Amino acid sequence: HSKEQGRNRWYFFEQSMQHRILLRQQLEAEMQTALQQQQFKVYFQPKVDGSGKLTGYEALLRWQHPERGMISPDEFIPIAEQSGFIIELGHWVLMRACQALQQLSDSSLVIAINVSKRQLQTDDFVESTLAAVLSSGVPASQLEFEITESMLMTDVEHTRDKLEKLHRQGISFAVDDFGTGYSSLAFLKNLPIQVLKIDRSFVRDFLVDQKDYAIVDTIISMAKALNLTVVAEGVETVEQFNMLSQMRCDLFQGYLFGRPAADFAAPTLLQATEN
Ligand code: C2E
Ligand code: MG
Ligand code: MG
Ligand code: MG
């Protein structure tokens, strides 16, 4: 009996694997046309400072699929990474970010884009990036590139060279999902990094989980000691915001201030709270 159950389970597992592989292949095949047909959208999520004032936006990709509905980047970015299509898609996001900066009259605002490993590894990443920024006419200092720890651990020499070239032109670099990767902290002293983004998974429960609290506190202290800007991702409640402010976090991003949206929505104003 149990042997049969096991066999059934394997059968279903195999079926769902095949389904996933098929879905992957279909999405991969559809991406190129999707970009031409403007099915990809860039959404913008506000970031604010301790007084709730807007400091900029993070650009976040969406795929508005005609049959499947809205597809999350967590689903299609890994596929685009593997196929190499991310290079074209990522460059398109950069151009959209530059357009967005042209539309925003406030020159103090910064737009952050997520750069993937495959993009950063292309030989002409620096040249194609600077060409796009230059032709858009926006100051490179209004652009921030979010990269992950693991990207800084591969091909270290080339990576440093690229980051330095772009940083010299004014682009700043943030380490996204900080604290979740396998990496040495040495990159913080060897690479032109200006911003640390505390991963949402630590922010979620830090008010009730002592370990998360300790991690958040440590990241903020380290950022301060290294003279880096520190951003908390996934801030959803006023209580989280108040405590993070007390802990001297610089910037905040999360549903409390606004979800990613197709337009440059002003951040939700913080209600005056009794402390
Ligand atoms: P990420 O860069 O860490 O982006 C933050 C994610 O957290 C976004 O998910 C955002 O919508 C979500 N988020 C923000 N505030 C809150 C909050 O208060 N609560 C909760 N529960 N979630 C919040 P999203 O937009 O689904 O993007 C997922 C990931 O996909 C991004 O993580 C990023 O790694 C990747 N991604 C998105 N756009 C691009 C892109 O243009 N290029 C590349 N290479 N990757 C991208
Ligand atoms: Mg990001
Ligand atoms: Mg993140
Ligand atoms: Mg993330």
Side-chain angles (χ1 to χ4, degrees):
H1 183 72
S2 81
K3 202 172 178 183
E4 196 168 294
Q5 264 181 350
R7 211 177 290 133
N8 276 339
R9 226 175 285 136
W10 170 248
Y11 173 74
F12 285 120
F13 171 70
E14 202 177 33
Q15 246 196 351
S16 75
M17 275 291 280
Q18 274 174 0
H19 179 79
R20 291 187 61 80
I21 291 166
L22 201 68
L23 180 66
R24 253 190 110 93
Q25 286 171 346
Q26 283 173 351
L27 292 181
E28 183 183 325
E30 289 168 358
M31 279 187 196
Q32 184 73 55
T33 341
L35 186 59
Q36 283 155 5
Q37 295 182 349
Q38 299 177 317
Q39 293 170 18
F40 288 103
K41 312 275 177 217
V42 174
Y43 275 26
F44 297 92
Q45 185 180 34
K47 291 185 199 176
V48 303
D49 68 12
S51 67
K53 187 172 147 279
L54 181 70
T55 63
Y57 296 91
E58 176 173 2
L60 293 159
L61 256 176
R62 297 288 179 269
W63 183 355
Q64 182 66 68
H65 193 285
E67 287 107 40
R68 301 177 207 275
M70 194 73 104
I71 309 178
S72 147
D74 285 326
E75 201 170 334
F76 67 79
I77 296 281
I79 302 174
E81 270 262 336
Q82 213 179 33
S83 74
F85 184 65
I86 191 67
I87 294 164
E88 190 176 342
L89 190 58
H91 192 74
W92 178 79
V93 172
L94 171 67
M95 292 195 295
R96 288 286 296 113
C98 291
Q99 276 173 23
L101 285 167
Q102 291 170 335
Q103 286 166 38
L104 293 166
S105 46
D106 188 340
S107 62
S108 70
L109 297 177
V110 170
I111 289 192
I113 66 171
N114 294 281
V115 172
S116 83
K117 187 178 202 153
R118 189 82 182 256
Q119 258 181 293
L120 187 60
Q121 281 176 340
T122 53
D123 289 334
D124 71 341
F125 180 68
V126 172
E127 290 73 16
S128 70
T129 299
L130 292 177
V133 176
L134 203 69
S135 73
S136 77
V138 302
S141 58
Q142 280 183 268
L143 281 170
E144 186 170 287
F145 286 179
E146 296 190 3
I147 53 185
T148 57
E149 290 162 86
S150 68
M151 289 164 64
L152 301 173
M153 295 298 112
T154 35
D155 207 4
V156 182
E157 288 307 311
H158 280 115
T159 302
R160 181 178 35 223
D161 185 53
K162 288 174 183 171
L163 264 53
E164 277 171 356
K165 280 181 177 143
L166 292 168
H167 185 56
R168 253 180 260 135
Q169 300 303 316
I171 294 174
S172 55
F173 288 93
V175 182
D176 206 351
D177 308 333
F178 186 74
T180 61
Y182 302 89
S183 68
S184 100
L185 290 171
F187 73 81
L188 292 174
K189 88 177 183 193
N190 299 326
L191 293 167
I193 302 291
Q194 293 77 43
V195 182
L196 298 184
K197 294 191 79 180
I198 307 172
D199 191 63
R200 199 170 76 216
S201 62
F202 303 126
V203 174
R204 190 178 54 222
D205 297 323
F206 86 107
L207 290 176
V208 289
D209 184 315
Q210 284 182 14
K211 289 183 181 169
D212 285 331
Y213 183 94
I215 291 169
V216 169
D217 199 34
T218 302
I219 296 175
I220 296 174
S221 305
M222 186 178 68
K224 294 284 145 190
L226 292 169
N227 209 10
L228 301 170
T229 298
V230 59
V231 186
E233 318 183 301
V235 181
E236 297 186 354
T237 69
V238 177
E239 291 73 24
Q240 289 172 338
F241 169 74
N242 284 339
M243 183 56 83
L244 288 163
S245 293
Q246 266 185 46
M247 293 161 90
R248 298 180 59 224
C249 186
D250 301 302
L251 302 178
F252 311 85
Q253 180 182 358
Y255 294 170
L256 178 64
F257 307 100
R259 289 178 182 253
D263 54 358
F264 309 113
T268 323
L269 289 178
L270 286 169
Q271 304 295 317
T273 49
E274 289 150 59
N275 257 330

